[in-house]
Amino acid sequence: MNKTKTQKMTKIFSMLLAIEIILVMTPLVYLPIGVLSITTMHIPVIISGILLGKKEGAALGFVFGLTSMIRATLQPSVTSFCFSPFITIGGISGNYASVLIAFLPRILLGFVSGFIYENMIHKFNNKITIIVSSLAGTLTNTILVLLGIYIFFGQAYASVLGMAYETLIVALLMVVASNGIIEAIVASVVCVLVCQGAHYVLRIKTEF
């Protein structure tokens, strides 16, 4: 990789990092679509994985995890103990599992997006590869977060939400079927637009 391209990729990572931080500090972190409110935090992570590689995607995913833990600590909701070991809600405290839920799905979000893109790009066209990578990354994050909540905090999570533990798995599956799918679709559309434009810049332009 030549020096000019390396500099461009470093600048892209820096911009994505800045966007990730801006999102978590502003109302843009959530996008209202009908009655649903979906997060946008996963989008820069996916873009990083696709444009820069799985390691860079994982690195930005780490930042996503860190910012989500900080947000859960400083702006707690009734379920923030699932993402921060420093929060106690109704006598229920976060612990090591909170750190795992906050970080591991987000790191794998970037890694999976980059890994799939790297392994598909030589077999399929760019647009299809970006779409599949975005869908896979988003669903990896959503499913692992909800699975972590169910495994480590199932009883407590159901209690603070005022639902029976027996119905929790159904509620979590509904989140995957509603928010998760919509987040994946939104990510796919945005990532196709951004990544195809950025690929043009990286390959053709001499200046960034």
Side-chain angles (χ1 to χ4, degrees):
M1 184 181 298
N2 61 50
K3 183 178 179 180
T4 301
K5 188 170 183 180
T6 300
Q7 291 174 338
K8 291 177 183 177
M9 294 179 72
T10 300
K11 290 180 180 179
I12 288 176
F13 184 83
S14 298
M15 284 194 299
L16 291 171
L17 176 60
I19 290 169
E20 190 76 7
I21 294 171
I22 289 170
L23 286 175
V24 78
M25 295 176 64
T26 67
L28 295 174
V29 68
Y30 292 109
L31 178 67
I33 296 183
V35 297
L36 300 177
S37 182
I38 69 168
T39 183
T40 57
M41 292 289 291
H42 61 305
I43 296 176
V45 180
I46 295 171
I47 293 172
S48 180
I50 291 173
L51 291 181
L52 308 176
K54 55 184 180 289
K55 291 181 180 179
E56 289 77 7
L60 200 61
F62 177 87
V63 176
F64 180 7
L66 179 62
T67 56
S68 67
M69 187 173 71
I70 292 172
R71 184 181 179 91
T73 303
L74 299 180
Q75 300 178 9
S77 66
V78 293
T79 58
S80 287
F81 60 85
C82 294
F83 302 97
S84 172
F86 310 109
I87 290 296
T88 299
I89 303 291
I92 304 166
S93 299
N95 52 44
Y96 75 93
S98 309
V99 179
L100 188 68
I101 295 170
F103 282 93
L104 184 60
R106 281 62 188 269
I107 292 171
L108 289 176
L109 159 66
F111 184 88
V112 168
S113 300
F115 178 82
I116 291 178
Y117 184 82
E118 289 173 7
N119 285 274
M120 284 186 61
I121 190 58
H122 302 298
K123 301 174 184 177
F124 301 92
N125 74 48
N126 195 42
K127 184 178 292 186
I128 290 175
T129 304
I130 293 172
I131 290 172
V132 173
S133 301
S134 302
L135 292 173
T138 304
L139 292 177
T140 294
N141 175 59
T142 302
I143 292 170
L144 288 181
V145 167
L146 296 179
L147 184 61
I149 290 173
Y150 183 77
I151 292 172
F152 295 109
F153 295 107
Q155 292 280 4
Y157 190 82
S159 176
V160 298
L161 292 181
M163 67 173 63
Y165 174 70
E166 293 75 16
T167 65
L168 178 60
I169 186 64
V170 175
L172 294 179
L173 288 174
M174 289 178 63
V175 173
V176 175
S178 55
N179 287 50
I181 297 299
I182 294 177
E183 286 173 0
I185 293 171
V186 170
S188 297
V189 173
V190 174
C191 289
V192 165
L193 296 174
V194 173
C195 292
Q196 286 196 316
H199 281 144
Y200 175 84
V201 171
L202 284 171
R203 292 173 183 172
I204 300 174
K205 295 291 185 181
T206 58
E207 295 181 3
F208 185 73

